[in-house]
Amino acid sequence: MAVKNTAQVIIGGKIINLGRYESEEYFQQVASYMNKKIGELEPVPGYGRQTMETKNLILSMNITDAYFKAKQQVATY
């Protein structure tokens, strides 16, 4: 049976405790990707004035867009 792992990551400057079956290295990779996406959005005009809820929605849409584009790219090969 798989062992549940826990790890602390920093996303958007906040410490978050995670617990799943993936490795701590994987958690850190995911957090790094999210921080990269946040960094891409921060310089966008008007982004900083949005509520946290709106920022999270924009971040989620951005990551989902990247996922669908990658999925389509794989499907075309």
Side-chain angles (χ1 to χ4, degrees):
M1 182 170 201
V3 176
K4 189 172 184 180
N5 296 310
T6 59
Q8 284 189 337
V9 297
I10 299 174
I11 299 174
K14 295 185 179 174
I15 297 172
I16 300 172
N17 294 307
L18 300 174
R20 292 196 45 165
Y21 296 100
E22 289 83 1
S23 68
E24 181 174 353
E25 180 181 282
Y26 179 77
F27 292 142
Q28 296 300 337
Q29 288 175 334
V30 171
S32 177
Y33 181 80
M34 290 186 71
N35 285 319
K36 177 182 168 238
K37 288 297 186 182
I38 290 168
E40 291 172 2
L41 291 170
E42 286 177 340
V44 173
Y47 180 78
R49 293 188 307 268
Q50 301 302 316
T51 65
M52 188 56 66
E53 181 180 5
T54 300
K55 287 180 181 179
N56 287 335
L57 179 61
I58 293 168
L59 176 63
S60 296
M61 291 291 295
N62 191 278
I63 290 171
T64 303
D65 176 59
Y67 166 76
F68 279 113
K69 286 177 180 173
K71 186 177 173 182
Q72 183 169 1
Q73 186 176 25
V74 169
T76 59
Y77 284 108

